[in-house]
């Protein structure tokens, strides 16, 4: 199982891929089988729309492959700065509204493109990042690249974020420093496609960059390192301009002079109680900037805390102030001691296994005082996985938010995470900080 973890400061951190074995490069969609097939979403006929899928790319090659369900993917084109020919379109890049920045597994890049990407330098060394997730960490240097997404998945269509920092996870030029491997909340390395469960991650969350003033003003921040040799990487302050940038923030104006850089909309179809083998949907850039991305008049807008992206959730009479909506988490993650947790020897450790499906609701309150009370169901994870081994999407998968062995605010005891299952069957808006989106200032979630 995996769940994302928001970093402190002006920015977030993402949900990682799960610890499963996958093949590098292209991957296949889920095959037909039991469970209903998904469908719907907006086809990428406009340059601000990227086709999205939920499929079994990361499943089938590991005994723990159930953790690979509920992962939303898109294609991302990476180019050498200023080039439209030295480019590579990378499939199965995970969509994460809980983090900021484009991170690609170095092993999936071809040699021509890899050699053309120059390292960002800070304090006399190459800048590298220890990206921290709840279930592990990823290490790699930061390079400069042009990023394109949407349209027909080429360098000349879709949305473009030119010359932005991109992390190359597992690139190998610099050894992982102990301040990273021992300092992360979870010391499990996720530097390969097999461990990450995707070919990369595109963080399109609420903030402009992934760490902001926390990392620009503090040397021992635990995330950014200056590497002066292959074995000498020391923690460093990282100027905001060198940090991982939210690609939405960096979008350039399109040919009509429209800039879709104030947020995104995720459209995914509903999923039945028994699961779906594949889903197709859309990632739409901009909120209220074009005719295809208007903020629905019926949407409830929930503004978030300025520096954390948190909303407050009341669930079963208890308040969970560090809560969030996150497409990068593959389940609902919550604290309910009345629901049985699947055993460690089961095929779904850490998920819930109630005797029968439980119907619940939770009240989400934004910092603006507006509220929504969505309903959801929690099914027996073992029965779900056994009932549809070819399914890639489950709308009723949930697990415990509290992380065993961890203490402090990051242990999940104050968290309710609405993962990708929450996104099924509704349009979910993520509006960025320092922008007006559909007439309301971000950051906010809406649905």
């Amino acid at each position: 199982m995996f769940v994302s973890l928001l970093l402190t400061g002006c920015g977030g951190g993402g949900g990682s891929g799960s610890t499963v074995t996958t093949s590098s490069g292209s991957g296949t969609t889920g095959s037909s089988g039991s469970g209903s097939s998904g469908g719907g979403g907006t086809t990428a006929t406009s340059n601000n729309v990227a086709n999205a899928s939920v499929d079994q790319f990361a499943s089938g090659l590991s005994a723990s492959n159930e953790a690979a369900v509920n992962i939303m993917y898109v294609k991302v084109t990476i180019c050498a700065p200023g080039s439209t020919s030295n480019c590579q379109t990378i499939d199965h890049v995970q969509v994460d509204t809980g983090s900021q920045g484009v991170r690609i597994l170095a092993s999936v890049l071809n040699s021509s493109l890899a050699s053309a990407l120059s390292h960002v330098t800070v304090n006399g060394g190459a800048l590298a990042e220890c990206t921290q997730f709840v279930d592990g960490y990823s290490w790699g240097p930061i390079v400069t690249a042009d990023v394109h997404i949407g349209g027909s998945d080429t360098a000349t269509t879709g949305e473009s974020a030119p010359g932005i920092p991109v992390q190359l996870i597992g690139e190998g030029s610099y050894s992982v420093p102990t301040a990273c491997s021992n300092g992360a909340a979870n010391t499990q390395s996720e530097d390969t496609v097999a461990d990450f469960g995707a070919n990369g991650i595109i963080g399109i969350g609420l903030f402009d960059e992934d760490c902001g003033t926390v990392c620009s003003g503090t040397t021992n921040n635990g995330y950014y390192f200056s590497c002066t040799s292959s074995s000498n990487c020391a923690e460093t302050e990282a100027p905001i301009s060198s940090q991982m940038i939210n690609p939405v923030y960096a979008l350039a104006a399109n040919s009509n002079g429209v800039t879709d850089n104030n947020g995104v909309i995720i459209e995914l179809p509903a999923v039945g109680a028994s699961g779906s083998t594949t889903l197709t949907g859309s990632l739409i850039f901009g909120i209220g900037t074009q005719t295809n991305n208007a903020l629905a008049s019926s949407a409830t807008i929930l503004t978030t805390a300025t520096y954390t992206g948190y909303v407050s959730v009341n669930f079963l009479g208890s308040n969970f102030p560090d809560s969030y909506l996150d497409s990068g988490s593959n389940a609902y993650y919550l604290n309910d001691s009345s629901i049985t947790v699947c055993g460690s020897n089961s095929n779904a450790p850490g998920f819930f296994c109630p005797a029968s499906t439980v119907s619940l609701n939770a009240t989400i309150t934004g910092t603006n005082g507006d509220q929504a009370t969505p309903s959801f169901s929690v099914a027996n994870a073992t029965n779900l996985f056994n009932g549809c081994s070819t399914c890639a999407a489950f709308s009723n998968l949930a697990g415990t938010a509290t992380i065993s062995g961890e203490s402090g605010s990051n242990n999940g005891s104050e968290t309710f995470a609405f993962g990708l299952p929450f996104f099924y069957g509704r349009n979910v808006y993520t509006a960025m900080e320092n922008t007006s989106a559909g007439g309301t200032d971000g950051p906010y979630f809406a649905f």
Side-chain angles (χ1 to χ4, degrees):
M1 59 188 291
F2 68 89
V3 57
S4 72
L5 171 67
L6 295 179
L7 306 182
T8 59
C10 189
S16 79
S18 51
T19 53
V20 298
T21 303
T22 72
S23 58
S24 172
S26 61
T28 58
T29 59
S31 59
S32 60
S34 61
S36 58
S37 294
T42 303
T43 304
T45 56
S46 301
N47 283 346
N48 69 325
V49 180
N51 289 326
S53 67
V54 179
D55 61 47
Q56 284 204 332
F57 170 68
S59 296
L61 300 176
S62 168
S64 60
N65 61 16
E66 292 81 8
V69 300
N70 293 333
I71 304 177
M72 178 181 175
Y73 300 108
V74 292
K75 293 181 180 179
V76 176
T77 298
I78 306 294
C79 297
S83 175
T84 57
S85 57
N86 191 1
C87 301
Q88 184 178 349
T89 298
I90 301 168
D91 65 6
H92 288 93
V93 176
Q94 185 181 6
V95 176
D96 182 21
T97 60
S99 72
Q100 284 66 229
V102 177
R103 297 174 167 85
I104 302 296
L105 275 294
S107 60
V108 306
L109 293 182
N110 63 51
S111 58
S112 174
L113 178 57
S115 62
L117 302 178
S118 299
H119 288 191
V120 174
T121 58
V122 170
N123 292 334
L127 186 65
E129 186 174 19
C130 180
T131 307
Q132 298 184 21
F133 308 117
V134 164
D135 61 352
Y137 70 90
S138 294
W139 166 259
I142 295 173
V143 299
T144 301
D146 293 347
V147 175
H148 309 275
I149 181 171
S152 58
D153 300 316
T154 68
T156 56
T157 66
E159 299 280 2
S160 296
I164 66 170
V166 172
Q167 186 183 23
L168 299 184
I169 294 175
E171 189 260 0
S173 293
Y174 308 102
S175 301
V176 181
T178 56
C180 173
S181 58
N182 293 339
N186 188 313
T187 57
Q188 172 66 44
S189 171
E190 295 182 339
D191 286 345
T192 67
V193 175
D195 287 335
F196 204 79
N199 287 330
I201 191 167
I202 179 168
I204 50 172
L206 298 163
F207 301 105
D208 296 344
E209 62 278 325
D210 73 335
C211 192
T213 55
V214 171
C215 290
S216 66
T218 305
T219 298
N220 298 321
N221 53 67
Y223 298 101
Y224 284 101
F225 294 76
S226 177
C227 299
T228 55
S229 70
S230 60
S231 58
N232 184 22
C233 295
E235 290 179 275
T236 186
E237 296 177 353
I240 289 178
S241 60
S242 299
Q243 292 180 24
M244 295 294 294
I245 299 296
N246 189 324
V248 179
Y249 165 77
L251 291 180
N254 62 23
S255 59
N256 295 322
V258 176
T259 306
D260 300 308
N261 65 346
N262 63 354
V264 298
I265 309 168
I266 289 178
E267 292 184 357
L268 290 170
V271 174
S274 59
S276 293
T277 56
T278 60
L279 296 179
T280 57
S282 299
L283 172 63
I284 303 174
F285 292 90
I287 299 174
T289 58
Q290 300 194 48
T291 57
N292 67 348
N293 61 17
L295 178 65
S297 59
S298 60
T300 300
I301 296 173
L302 303 168
T303 58
T304 74
T306 303
Y307 293 103
T308 63
Y310 291 145
V311 291
S312 180
V313 168
N314 186 279
F315 177 62
L316 299 178
S318 296
N319 290 319
F320 298 88
D322 298 347
S323 299
Y324 50 91
L325 281 60
D326 178 21
S327 67
S329 295
N330 70 338
Y332 292 94
Y333 286 98
L334 53 99
N335 291 285
D336 185 348
S337 60
S338 69
I339 305 178
T340 300
V341 178
C342 308
S344 59
N345 294 324
S346 72
N347 65 349
F351 291 110
F352 286 124
C353 282
S356 59
T357 298
V358 181
S359 297
L360 299 167
N361 60 64
T363 298
I364 312 172
T365 304
T367 58
N368 57 353
D370 288 350
Q371 293 183 329
T373 306
S375 300
F376 61 98
S377 297
V378 177
N380 185 300
T382 292
N383 292 344
L384 289 175
F385 300 149
N386 290 340
C388 185
S389 62
T390 60
C391 281
F394 293 102
S395 62
N396 43 14
L397 183 66
T400 179
T402 304
I403 306 166
S404 177
E406 293 295 323
S407 60
S409 61
N410 288 337
N411 76 345
S413 62
E414 297 182 341
T415 294
F416 191 118
F418 293 85
L420 194 66
F422 177 79
F423 290 68
Y424 297 150
R426 53 167 56 95
N427 289 1
V428 180
Y429 305 78
T430 302
M432 292 182 60
E433 65 174 342
N434 303 318
T435 67
S436 176
T440 299
D441 291 341
Y444 70 74
F445 299 117
F447 55 89

